[in-house]
Amino acid sequence: MAYDEELADRVREALRGAGEVEEKRMFGGLSFMVDGRLAVAAGNLGGLLVPVGTGQREALLAEPHVEPMVMGGRESRSWVRVLDAGVRTEEQLRAWVARGLAASRPPG
């Protein structure tokens, strides 16, 4: 399955004004880099792939509609997958995009 083009359009809108955005095909979907750092991706299985900050993964996995991101049969320790139901509203999507942006930026 290809990534959800409608979700990709919504991510583009959510990233407006966040910095220099570049799109790249990665993870079997479409990834969004902001200022040279990978921030979020529209996954090929639907939903949104989001990097997580140090120590946040387990808490985020406890939230509704969130599961581990699995690539090549291995579970990522630094990314989660947010199912479609978790990004249905603009408020939900913007919150996850903000988390991805925060996790992708260097500390400080």
Side-chain angles (χ1 to χ4, degrees):
M1 173 181 174
Y3 65 90
D4 179 339
E5 295 204 23
E6 181 182 333
L7 177 60
D9 287 341
R10 292 174 59 218
V11 170
R12 286 182 191 101
E13 184 62 31
L15 288 172
R16 190 177 307 249
E20 184 180 331
V21 178
E22 182 181 356
E23 298 177 16
K24 291 189 176 197
R25 291 191 180 270
M26 287 186 208
F27 303 129
L30 186 64
S31 296
F32 295 86
M33 300 185 71
V34 178
D35 296 331
R37 297 184 181 278
L38 189 52
V40 294
N44 67 330
L45 299 176
L48 193 68
L49 305 177
V50 182
V52 296
T54 305
Q56 295 180 336
R57 181 177 179 270
E58 296 309 315
L60 293 176
L61 287 174
E63 292 193 21
H65 315 297
V66 179
E67 63 183 29
M69 183 183 103
V70 177
M71 256 320 170
R74 296 184 65 191
E75 198 172 288
S76 173
R77 305 293 290 147
S78 57
W79 285 74
V80 295
R81 179 171 176 250
V82 183
L83 303 175
D84 290 330
V87 291
R88 284 208 199 289
T89 70
E90 292 312 304
E91 183 180 349
Q92 289 172 312
L93 177 66
R94 289 185 181 279
W96 283 108
V97 167
R99 285 175 171 158
L101 284 168
S104 69
R105 295 212 163 105

